[in-house]
Amino acid sequence: MRTRVAIIGSGPSGLLLGQLLAGIGVETIILERSSREHVLGRVRAGVLEQGTVDLLGEAGAADRLHAQGLPHEGISLAFGGRAHRIDMSALTGGKHVTVYGQTEVTLDLMQKREAAGLVTVFETSNVALHDFDGASPSVSYDRDGVTHRIDCDFIAGCDGYHGVSRKSVPEGALKTFERQYPFGWLGVLAEVPPADRELVYANHERGFALCSMRSPQRSRYYVQVPADERVEAWSDDRFWDELHSRLPPQIAAAVTTGPSFEKSIAPLRSFVAEPMRFGRLFLVGDAAHIVPPTGAKGLNLAASDVRYLFAGLREFYGGKSEAGLDAYSAKALARVWKAVRFSWWMTTMLHRFPETGEFGQRIQEAELDYLVHSKAACTALAENYVGLPY
Ligand code: FAS
Ligand code: PHB
């Protein structure tokens, strides 16, 4: 088989890149390790920057997003028994974010790809990348006991943190940066109305909590748990009690409890691999970087990588130049590191760090108290949360 761009991974990165390239007549094949159902069953991000919404629109996959997405102009920070709203829209000249689950984004993109008759091979195994340091790369994979090979012009490694693409880069050619946090997020989905019309990020001495949502009928909540915590140790009752204990009274009183239909623990880490290009192989999204979800940046960073790579490929296939492809890694990393910093800052300010004790808690409360009473500090948070310019 032969294609223009072989895409490894059918998550948001791979699907969005495939859809944008289809729009300019560049053929792709997506190879996906899991089943279609497994990919769609993953519950992850919930907040989209305007740039991500615009890119999904350019890919022709934003109809449901525009119909069902929830525009949010602000967030609240809760600490010391009170919630403080930050009017991000007023502080950023009218910008806002849109609440719309990553699961829905993935479904919208998958359905667009299927409607266009574009090829995604699910349940592949032993995907291997070949000769991407030359002008004739290829990818091989096994399925149903048969080994297949795809010759291509480029390989887009959209296969996430645990994927094969980054691991295929020659030893020593990659520099990685990592910070593991001593905690994770226990998240639940429940068919109950949200506690507030916008998101509430709570700092509490018992630990961080987040009140989010997927729709006016479906809520998404998180509480910080130790890194080695097991989800089996958390009944719904235990979760709701702990959530209530970490929220200000007026927010806690507005929480509607109910049976969870999804409950999982996500580890928190910051990770960046440099550079993001190796000859004809480009690393995209979580394959190249991971951020703690506190800043709602993971999915949005994947989208900005796709934007930069798509621009370079469009320029290449337009017969113009390789300048965009040559600039991809530096351009993407400049934005990645700003998002890594913001996500680290939000995580450090809002979570309980066992080693910093009571002093650390007071420092966090002082930072939050300064922040919510300073227009300059609120503006800095708002500019980063709604999404920095491309
Ligand atoms: P993805 O990991 O989504 O997709 C990679 C795809 O490649 C997967 O489908 C995988 O099966 C496939 N793959 C892997 N190895 C392969 C191989 N060898 N061959 C073929 N296919 C292979 N971000 C937020 O902004 N907010 C959040 O709340 C949030 N919560 C998260 C919770 C969890 C548990 C995780 C893991 C991430 C979370 N994120 C969150 C970040 C997340 O949304 C990512 O940023 C987003 O999924 C990135 O998309 P992709 O780069 O496409 O990677
Ligand atoms: C979510 O709704 O899943 C969500 C929202 C904001 C975050 C992280 C996760 O910062």
Side-chain angles (χ1 to χ4, degrees):
M1 271 186 281
R2 175 160 186 88
T3 192
R4 289 289 190 195
V5 181
I7 297 175
I8 318 297
S10 179
S13 298
L15 288 164
L16 181 53
L17 179 63
Q19 208 48 40
L20 291 166
L21 289 172
I24 59 169
V26 174
E27 190 195 25
T28 60
I29 291 178
I30 294 182
L31 300 179
E32 168 55 53
R33 171 174 64 184
S34 306
S35 68
R36 182 180 190 278
E37 294 65 34
H38 182 82
V39 175
L40 289 172
R42 287 192 290 241
V43 179
R44 289 187 174 170
V47 173
L48 305 182
E49 296 173 2
Q50 190 55 46
T52 303
V53 172
D54 295 345
L55 205 55
L56 288 164
E58 191 177 335
D63 293 348
R64 211 157 58 100
L65 164 55
H66 289 311
Q68 299 173 17
L70 304 172
H72 279 204
E73 297 187 350
I75 60 171
S76 288
L77 299 181
F79 63 97
R82 282 193 56 208
H84 304 261
R85 183 174 185 266
I86 296 180
D87 186 345
M88 299 191 295
S89 195
L91 293 167
T92 59
K95 292 183 180 177
H96 65 276
V97 294
T98 302
V99 170
Y100 188 72
Q102 175 174 324
T103 309
E104 310 313 323
V105 171
T106 306
L107 177 60
D108 294 340
L109 286 165
M110 265 190 194
Q111 288 178 334
K112 281 294 285 185
R113 186 167 180 85
E114 288 154 359
L118 301 174
V119 178
T120 299
V121 185
F122 289 100
E123 300 182 80
T124 58
S125 57
N126 301 322
V127 169
L129 285 59
H130 310 286
D131 306 319
F132 50 81
D133 54 351
S136 306
S138 64
V139 179
S140 59
Y141 67 94
D142 293 345
R143 194 168 194 292
D144 301 329
V146 177
T147 298
H148 303 264
R149 170 181 157 142
I150 303 173
D151 294 316
C152 53
D153 300 333
F154 299 101
I155 303 171
C158 302
D159 47 350
Y161 180 74
H162 300 288
V164 65
S165 297
R166 190 181 70 249
K167 294 165 188 163
S168 301
V169 172
E171 193 65 34
L174 206 62
K175 182 165 180 52
T176 59
F177 307 79
E178 183 154 17
R179 169 159 297 185
Q180 293 273 3
Y181 298 93
F183 41 74
W185 280 14
L186 166 62
V188 303
L189 270 176
E191 208 68 36
V192 293
D196 192 277
R197 60 190 181 81
E198 294 173 331
L199 273 60
V200 180
Y201 290 79
N203 169 288
H204 190 277
E205 59 193 11
R206 293 180 64 89
F208 169 80
L210 172 59
C211 305
S212 185
M213 66 199 72
R214 290 293 178 270
S215 74
Q217 297 78 34
R218 179 171 292 186
S219 294
R220 177 71 165 160
Y221 288 107
Y222 298 93
V223 295
Q224 170 188 348
V225 293
D228 58 359
E229 185 66 289
R230 295 178 307 105
V231 69
E232 298 76 20
W234 285 81
S235 67
D236 283 355
D237 287 347
R238 182 184 177 193
F239 178 87
W240 293 121
D241 289 346
E242 188 60 37
L243 178 72
H244 275 100
S245 71
R246 299 185 184 185
L247 296 174
Q250 88 273 16
I251 303 288
V255 170
T256 304
T257 64
S260 67
F261 64 87
E262 198 277 340
K263 191 184 289 171
S264 56
I265 294 178
L268 266 61
R269 72 164 60 87
S270 299
F271 173 85
V272 180
E274 293 184 357
M276 290 171 57
R277 178 200 186 172
F278 302 89
R280 295 286 179 122
L281 167 63
F282 296 89
L283 299 180
V284 184
D286 277 19
H289 42 73
I290 296 287
V291 287
T294 329
K297 289 300 160 205
L299 176 54
N300 293 298
L301 269 186
S304 51
D305 291 352
V306 168
R307 173 189 287 266
Y308 293 136
L309 181 56
F310 171 62
L313 289 168
R314 179 172 52 192
E315 195 181 55
F316 175 83
Y317 284 112
K320 299 190 178 76
S321 83
E322 295 200 24
L325 294 175
D326 293 342
Y328 167 73
S329 183
K331 214 167 185 182
L333 283 167
R335 184 180 177 87
V336 163
W337 275 109
K338 292 185 183 74
V340 167
R341 181 212 64 85
F342 176 66
S343 306
W344 164 83
W345 173 70
M346 285 283 278
T347 302
T348 305
M349 180 171 64
L350 290 166
H351 288 73
R352 187 89 174 113
F353 286 76
E355 69 277 12
T356 58
E358 287 307 303
F359 175 81
Q361 181 63 26
R362 290 290 180 276
I363 291 292
Q364 288 177 335
E365 288 169 0
E367 178 168 17
L368 285 160
D369 193 29
Y370 161 71
L371 169 61
V372 298
H373 294 102
S374 160
K375 184 178 178 185
C378 285
T379 303
L381 185 155
E383 285 178 346
N384 282 278
Y385 195 93
V386 300
L388 296 176
Y390 286 107

